[in-house]
Amino acid sequence: MPDARARLELGAIKGLLQAQRRRIRSYTRDHRPDLEAAPDAPSPAPVASPSVSPTGQQVLDALPVPALLLTPVLGDDGEIVDALCASHNTAAVAYVSERLPESALSRWWGTASLYARFPSLRRTPVAGMINRAYRERASQGPEAVEWVAGDAQGPVRLVAEVRVSPCGDQLLLDWQPGNLHRMATAAQRLVRTCWAEWNLGDDGVEPSLGFRQVLGLADDAPLPTLSDVADAVTADSLPGFYQMLYDVILRKRTADCTLRMPGRIDRITRLTAEPVRIAPGSLVWGVRAVLTDVTAEQRRRESARRAEREVLHQRRQARTIREVAEALREAVLPHFHDELAAYGLQATAVYRPDAREAGVGGDWYKARKLPDDRLLIALGDARGHGLSAVTLMAKLRYALAGLAYTEQPVEQLAYWLNETACADGIESTATAVIASYHPERHLLRWVCAGHPCPALVRDGRATSLPFPDGGPGLPLGVLPGTRYTAAETSLRIGDIVLMYSDGLTERRDSDPDLDTRRFVEAAESALRSSDPGADREGLHAYAENLVARLDGPHRADDATLLALRRVEPPGGARRH
């Protein structure tokens, strides 16, 4: 049931149409010839009969379409077995001369069998049309016919709308070249377009083919008047429909509107209309319109707009996640200065986010003093990307910081951190290298939980540190109760320890051993081209050079490098 506003708009449309009908009828009354003013007006003088009647050939030549006069040939059973071409008109001569090669034209002239001229006609509807026209004495067609003519120079495909009519004892076969009916039907179907003209005086409708289909009506549905169209469309179509009719009828100009027809599948029709007038300056007697089914096009546009809105939403969401994740990362990751120099170490870190995700990932690192004068050093990679990975990274990092204050060795810290990750759920998995540095002994003790092994740069050579006894342990969060073994490495003055995440070296379908070898080779190559000097700035420049050598478009994860170098503490002794 339409709402009040829709009823008002519907009433305005019908009122506009009714008012125009009254104008037309009033105009007709005012301009009708006064036939009763001269009832005794003399009749026109009769025209003299022609002295000579036209011949059959003259009548045949007067036809505007190609035509053949056929004489049926009956078989023993009384059925037509052939048809002789008794005559043809000038239009047929012109058509054949244009379409057939010159060498084939001679077959057209003179009395000859129709099927001998064109054997392929027997396989077309023409044969049946000839038989029915002769037997039923009624015109047959027009019907679309395709046949092949020509000679050795090549076949010619002929297409026409053929009609066969009785003509005395003979048959008249004529055709309209090109099958315009079928071509018009195909054209309208392909572009989903039709046209119609509405008479505003009596609601008559003159439609083209496909009119009902474009409006989504059944083939046998009554032709809709403009008032019927207004009743059929959705309420949101009424304002545009009224404005279009107003512009065409009263302002006498071309206008258009979009009509939505409700149904199992809402059909959307674009209607472009112009006024029809019987004379310049007179009132509008009709509305001539072209209607195009734009349902598919409109749906594609709506789908594109939905996709665009979704993309904008995803971008805003990704930007928000990136901003939150970056803020969280900035809050939890250290920015090294010279705070470790008192313990005989320099530290620097280089981080490269995964540009395909929210700009950040799960890599984390840590280097800080513990109460027993050791230094806690760690680098890990939490599973996933974006905010969830940063959140897991922060949880593991803060958990490790708290556990480290128990002054337990790194093996125990790794065990506890694994239990924490396992208790957090199956999604909370990570890899890590957890180390403690003992300044008084210049000793680095470290455990590996499913992470790439650290590398050592000494005397211009880079080597991968050997894994602890038993090999690397399982990643954190995989299996409760996992025990880890520590390895020990003594550091000399100038030694550089490199800890890194697998995002820096990993390639698709790569071998971990090849990844390690690639990292070690790059570490040596970067050392030759970038002198790390003696200060922390030189160490950072070396780290940047190394990351640049390994980074590239192949990278599918964020990447982190943590570089530690043993130096002499200020004054030659560690400050307490």
Side-chain angles (χ1 to χ4, degrees), residues 189-222:
R189 185 184 70 253
L190 289 172
V191 298
R192 301 184 300 279
T193 297
C194 69
W195 52 90
E197 187 171 306
W198 284 276
N199 186 348
L200 297 175
D202 61 6
D203 278 341
V205 186
E206 294 293 337
S208 73
L209 300 170
F211 176 69
R212 292 180 176 90
Q213 288 72 23
V214 168
L215 290 177
L217 302 176
D219 292 341
D220 57 352

Side-chain angles (χ1 to χ4, degrees), residues 290-301:
V290 174
L291 300 91
T292 304
D293 181 357
V294 295
T295 306
E297 177 184 351
Q298 194 72 16
R299 286 180 177 171
R300 284 194 294 269
R301 289 181 178 177

Side-chain angles (χ1 to χ4, degrees), residues 362-498:
D363 286 5
W364 58 276
Y365 54 90
K366 189 172 187 66
R368 64 175 300 171
K369 174 184 175 298
L370 297 176
D372 59 358
D373 287 340
R374 291 178 301 154
L375 293 177
L376 173 67
I377 301 167
L379 185 143
D381 182 2
R383 177 188 180 190
H385 300 273
L387 188 57
S388 61
V390 175
T391 303
L392 175 59
M393 171 269 291
K395 285 193 288 188
L396 295 177
R397 186 177 179 278
Y398 282 123
L400 178 60
L403 293 171
Y405 272 80
T406 62
E407 301 185 4
Q408 293 295 314
V410 290
E411 302 96 306
Q412 187 64 38
L413 297 182
Y415 174 81
W416 283 337
L417 195 60
N418 177 64
E419 296 297 304
T420 300
C422 288
D424 201 41
I426 59 174
E427 298 297 321
S428 296
T429 59
T431 64
V433 171
I434 303 171
S436 62
Y437 181 65
H438 301 257
E440 73 284 354
R441 293 187 290 163
H442 316 304
L443 181 68
L444 185 72
R445 300 190 74 252
W446 55 279
V447 298
C448 181
H451 201 81
C453 185
L456 176 66
V457 178
R458 173 180 290 171
D459 298 332
R461 295 291 306 276
T463 58
S464 179
L465 292 178
F467 281 115
D469 293 341
L474 290 175
L476 304 172
V478 173
L479 183 65
T482 299
R483 295 289 178 178
Y484 296 90
T485 305
E488 296 184 352
T489 302
S490 296
L491 300 183
R492 305 174 188 171
I493 297 292
D495 283 354
I496 299 175
V497 176
L498 301 172

Side-chain angles (χ1 to χ4, degrees), residues 12-13 16-17 20 23 200 226 238-258 270-277 282-288:
I13 291 173
L16 175 64
L17 295 173
Q20 189 66 9
R23 295 187 192 97
L200 297 175
L226 289 172
L238 293 174
F241 190 43
Y242 172 80
Q243 186 62 51
M244 183 276 296
L245 291 174
Y246 183 90
D247 288 341
V248 171
I249 295 173
L250 298 183
R251 303 176 74 178
K252 300 179 177 64
R253 69 183 191 183
T254 301
D256 57 46
C257 66
T258 299
R270 189 71 179 171
L271 187 151
T272 303
E274 66 176 2
V276 178
R277 293 181 282 183
S282 67
L283 57 78
V284 175
W285 286 68
V287 174
R288 183 183 299 125

Side-chain angles (χ1 to χ4, degrees), residues 506-520:
E506 196 173 49
R507 307 288 191 272
R508 180 174 295 181
D509 300 327
S510 63
D511 185 328
D513 292 336
L514 293 178
D515 294 340
T516 301
R517 190 179 311 133
R518 187 183 304 111
F519 180 83
V520 169

